[in-house]
Amino acid sequence: MYQHDGEEIFVIDAHVHLWDATTENIDHDGGEEFIQCFYDYHTTFTPEEREWSIEEYRKYGPDRMVEDLFGNAAADMAIFQPTYLSDFYVEGFNTTEQNAELATEYPERFVLNGSFDPRDGDEGLEYLEDLHETYDIPGVKLYTAEWRGESKGWRLDDEEAFRYLEKCAELGIENIHAHKGPTIRPLNRDAFDVADVDDAASSFPELNFVVEHVGLPRLDDFCWIAAQENNVYGGLAVAAPFAQNRPGKFSEIMSELLWWLGEDRILFGSDYALWNPDWLVEEVLEAELTQEHRMEYGVEWDIETKQKVMGENAAELYDIDIEEKRRQFRDDEISREFDLGDHYASEEPAAADD
Amino acid sequence: MTGTESDGSTSEPSRTAVRDRLDRVTDPELDRSIVELEYVDRIEIDGDRVAVEFTLPTAWCSPAFAWMMAVDARDEIESLSAVEAARITLSEHMHEAEINRGVNEDLSFAEAFPDADGDVAAVRAELDEKARVARQYDAVETLLEAGLDAEAIVALRPRDLERPEADGDDAAVAVYVRDRSFAVSVPAEPIERYLEKARETDLVSGPDDVLFRTPEGEPIDADSFDLVHQRGRLAQVNMSSQGGICDGLREAREGRLEEPADD
């Protein structure tokens, strides 16, 4: 639990991965290019003294992950977002099954999402049902730009994708996280177009669509869609680390998001291990909107907004009872391991209305 | 080697003329000049032949974007009458071989990249449209600062703009409003930058076309003026955020290439 300006902030890191990009697991040049590109993002936005070496970055393993996420209580919970990339990596880059290793060990701390790929046809639908059956996944992370044989991607408004979304609605898999972000070589640009979210979101009002990376560099298209579809949310992964080395730009992006989406539809995510929450959460919480942007947009990055963006909005989507969690975390395995009991000790949270 | 003084017997292009042409080439995603962005590494002039070398922020910068910049640089330079041929070399890009060969052998994008799904025209049109919207924001801001209101601005047409003959960098444009009942003078640059993209995107071609449009290309209702203007601001934020990522990646890559890889 993060203490900020005398208030407690329950942080749900809504975008984390446990990946394996070791050379033995790479099956295609794209796999090596993918991790190298991630690493450039990592070094671009990470404070120099907190940077990892490329070797650690390829595979960090579950113990390190738990420590990085929870060791200093920067994050209280985390949501796994798998990225299969099965044409690039022998065992996949970051699959539901790999993530499940930790998620089942610490079920109170992790939320485990699954994934689907409509190009898998009926077999894929069965796989989705299996994931639901085995892990009771509350959401999916989708990579519309993933290569699969000759295909360089798919769209959320494809007829075939709609079959999968119908299945999600039927099974109660409510949270659809679509990666719509920076062009990551070697993925196709067009498949990161956000326009397909529009039709999907209006066709499935019972589902929530979280556009990861707030569509950067298609922030304008994303905000325009989100302004019209109230079941569209923005995930801050990639936008968040601007707080560290481009504070003016962070202020501007946050101002736009708060203006177009409002404070209830923005979710924090570190994108671990692209970036570590142990420094990123602090950077984001300490960030300020410039006076100029506050005047121009009429929005605030104040304590209530921070509480929502950093945890409450994700809690709402994932039916997480924050008060219940606080009680549970006074003495769960992770609090004991890292001696965090005190973080959750206070009887009542500071009143949220002052 | 480099642009030496012409002896008069040949009409060698001046370095300034070449640079000015390159300055018109923009990074299509950022809508900023490749000269200003410092992508251009070298210009060599040898008689009527010009060679240009450039580098992008990352090796995996979109091949489509890299292609557009290379082709535009070639076409801009070859539009100078003193230039017979331009040779463009993109360095340190994962697709430099395909791009350099394609651009210098006058191939189409689809010929240069047999794996691609098609040509780059649609991507270029989309980026031009975003650039137009972002430039509209600056043009409209200029008019708002000059005291024009929403109603007057949405009604403007090219015929309402008058550029005095005396040209210069700090030139002004006279904007006539209310059926030419009066005019205000505003800085020319943002208006002209907007017009350039509005023409490129075929939204404004004749003197009677509505000057400012929604991102979808429609005329603007005075009622939705504020919202459309806010969308222009958003387009700018989008571009400059991507610029921030590009700058960061360039620095990261330079750092990686400079440091010995011993850790």
Side-chain angles (χ1 to χ4, degrees):
Chain A
M1 189 101 77
Y2 197 90
Q3 311 289 325
H4 180 71
D5 290 348
E7 301 273 354
E8 293 181 336
I9 297 189
F10 190 87
V11 177
I12 299 176
D13 187 338
H15 198 129
V16 302
H17 319 280
L18 179 59
W19 70 56
D20 177 359
T22 47
T23 46
E24 308 83 76
N25 194 31
I26 290 174
D27 205 14
H28 181 288
D29 286 347
E32 179 61 21
E33 286 168 354
F34 196 83
I35 192 66
Q36 288 289 349
C37 188
F38 266 29
Y39 191 62
D40 274 355
Y41 274 93
H42 170 79
T43 55
T44 294
F45 288 103
T46 303
E48 212 174 333
E49 68 281 6
R50 308 301 301 272
E51 285 174 16
W52 301 23
S53 74
I54 180 73
E55 290 317 317
E56 306 172 84
Y57 197 71
R58 284 180 190 275
K59 188 176 185 180
Y60 36 90
D63 293 343
R64 170 147 191 194
M65 179 164 185
V66 166
E67 176 153 12
D68 283 344
L69 295 182
F70 308 121
N72 69 357
D76 300 290
M77 292 182 70
I79 304 176
F80 273 119
Q81 308 288 3
T83 315
Y84 281 55
L85 297 175
S86 31
D87 272 21
F88 289 175
Y89 296 94
V90 183
E91 303 290 336
F93 180 63
N94 155 54
T95 63
T96 311
E97 289 79 2
Q98 288 160 345
N99 293 332
E101 186 185 340
L102 267 180
T104 49
E105 192 178 344
Y106 303 102
E108 75 286 7
R109 293 281 184 162
F110 285 106
V111 173
L112 181 67
N113 275 346
S115 185
F116 68 68
D117 187 323
R119 292 168 298 188
D120 293 335
D122 289 340
E123 219 173 284
L125 278 176
E126 277 169 36
Y127 178 64
L128 183 62
E129 283 182 352
D130 285 349
L131 288 179
H132 170 69
E133 192 116 320
T134 315
Y135 303 114
D136 194 19
I137 51 169
V140 284
K141 166 77 186 298
L142 306 175
Y143 234 73
T144 54
E146 181 169 348
W147 286 16
R148 177 69 48 89
E150 289 293 296
S151 162
K152 302 286 190 283
W154 54 279
R155 293 176 58 91
L156 263 172
D157 53 5
D158 288 340
E159 204 176 306
E160 195 67 2
F162 268 35
R163 282 178 69 209
Y164 279 72
L165 292 173
E166 273 158 25
K167 178 62 74 180
C168 286
E170 181 193 318
L171 298 173
I173 301 171
E174 286 177 0
N175 299 312
I176 314 297
H177 295 253
H179 175 109
K180 296 289 184 182
T183 309
I184 292 174
R185 167 52 204 167
L187 304 170
N188 269 25
R189 173 183 188 277
D190 288 355
F192 285 147
D193 178 7
V194 294
D196 57 340
V197 175
D198 199 349
D199 191 18
S202 38
S203 302
F204 294 92
E206 66 273 54
L207 301 178
N208 308 307
F209 290 82
V210 185
V211 172
E212 293 298 345
H213 318 300
V214 293
L216 277 170
R218 292 158 203 94
L219 182 69
D220 46 350
D221 300 332
F222 162 66
C223 287
W224 182 239
I225 291 167
Q228 290 156 85
E229 308 291 341
N230 59 15
N231 56 337
V232 171
Y233 295 72
L236 279 183
V238 176
F242 272 96
Q244 193 270 125
N245 62 349
R246 299 267 193 294
K249 192 48 61 189
F250 178 82
S251 165
E252 199 172 36
I253 295 171
M254 279 307 298
S255 298
E256 289 283 5
L257 292 170
L258 290 166
W259 197 87
W260 287 98
L261 280 77
E263 59 190 26
D264 297 327
R265 289 196 282 143
I266 306 170
L267 310 183
F268 171 75
S270 66
D271 222 348
Y272 183 87
L274 268 144
W275 297 288
N276 270 39
D278 60 10
W279 61 265
L280 183 58
V281 168
E282 184 172 349
E283 291 287 349
V284 171
L285 287 175
E286 298 295 334
E288 290 177 4
L289 304 187
T290 66
Q291 182 62 20
E292 200 186 338
H293 291 146
R294 291 167 61 210
M295 296 285 289
E296 182 186 345
Y297 292 91
V299 298
E300 294 290 341
W301 183 231
D302 54 17
I303 191 78
E304 288 82 10
T305 310
K306 289 170 184 172
Q307 282 167 329
K308 287 182 169 185
V309 170
M310 301 308 287
E312 291 171 7
N313 293 341
E316 187 76 27
L317 289 186
Y318 282 88
D319 297 323
I320 293 166
D321 180 339
I322 290 179
E323 285 320 302
E324 175 60 33
K325 287 288 175 186
R326 287 163 53 97
R327 281 191 287 275
Q328 199 178 356
F329 292 171
R330 275 175 214 161
D331 191 34
D332 77 331
E333 202 182 323
I334 283 183
S335 287
R336 284 197 297 272
E337 185 177 347
F338 298 105
D339 197 17
L340 300 175
D342 289 352
H343 283 269
Y344 304 100
S346 66
E347 273 309 310
E348 288 301 322
D353 57 358
D354 61 357
Chain B
M1 293 285 286
T2 52
T4 50
E5 287 300 311
S6 166
D7 63 8
S9 60
T10 59
S11 53
E12 192 172 88
S14 74
R15 175 162 287 273
T16 312
V18 171
R19 215 189 120 92
D20 283 352
R21 287 283 153 178
L22 285 175
D23 200 35
R24 298 182 187 191
V25 178
T26 54
D27 178 321
E29 194 176 33
L30 310 181
D31 193 30
R32 284 167 62 198
S33 156
I34 62 168
V35 173
E36 178 203 337
L37 288 163
E38 299 182 15
Y39 294 172
V40 178
D41 302 318
R42 218 137 80 108
I43 300 171
E44 284 187 25
I45 301 172
D46 182 9
D48 57 6
R49 297 185 170 267
V50 176
V52 171
E53 288 178 23
F54 76 114
T55 318
L56 298 174
T58 91
W60 24 69
C61 192
S62 157
F65 300 172
W67 174 268
M68 290 179 216
M69 288 182 252
V71 167
D72 289 352
R74 178 195 69 198
D75 293 349
E76 281 291 348
I77 294 170
E78 289 186 350
S79 72
L80 290 168
S81 59
V83 174
E84 176 59 31
R87 177 157 197 89
I88 309 296
T89 309
L90 170 65
S91 318
E92 291 175 52
H93 191 273
M94 60 176 181
H95 288 305
E96 62 188 43
E98 292 97 324
I99 288 171
N100 291 333
R101 174 171 169 265
V103 170
N104 293 310
E105 293 181 13
D106 269 333
L107 306 179
S108 70
F109 182 77
E111 288 166 334
F113 287 94
D115 286 350
D117 293 336
D119 220 328
V120 292
V123 176
R124 188 193 277 274
E126 191 189 318
L127 294 171
D128 272 342
E129 191 48 49
K130 284 175 185 270
R132 199 250 331 149
V133 173
R135 289 184 186 197
Q136 175 168 304
Y137 180 82
D138 287 336
V140 168
E141 276 292 286
T142 307
L143 297 171
L144 287 169
E145 275 165 31
L148 268 58
D149 62 13
E151 224 160 294
I153 292 171
V154 300
L156 286 174
R157 290 153 205 275
R159 62 161 191 243
D160 302 321
L161 307 176
E162 250 172 50
R163 179 83 138 106
E165 285 307 307
D167 263 359
D169 283 347
D170 52 357
V173 164
V175 181
Y176 287 87
V177 292
R178 309 267 185 257
D179 294 325
R180 298 186 78 81
S181 57
F182 70 96
V184 292
S185 178
V186 302
E189 206 238 341
I191 308 288
E192 290 184 342
R193 265 176 61 79
Y194 170 69
L195 265 172
E196 183 192 12
K197 274 289 172 207
R199 290 194 178 111
E200 269 177 40
T201 50
D202 291 329
L203 280 180
V204 176
S205 46
D208 294 327
D209 287 338
V210 172
L211 194 58
F212 296 114
R213 312 289 184 117
T214 67
E216 290 74 28
E218 302 300 322
I220 305 166
D221 284 342
D223 290 347
S224 58
F225 172 83
D226 286 341
L227 187 63
V228 172
H229 193 45
Q230 196 73 27
R231 289 179 74 185
R233 175 82 170 100
L234 181 58
Q236 285 196 336
V237 173
N238 181 55
M239 277 182 179
S240 58
S241 304
Q242 185 57 16
I245 290 177
C246 293
D247 286 347
L249 291 178
R250 183 177 55 210
E251 284 164 25
R253 181 168 74 156
E254 280 167 5
R256 181 152 56 82
L257 295 176
E258 277 161 20
E259 279 167 31
D262 57 3
D263 59 348

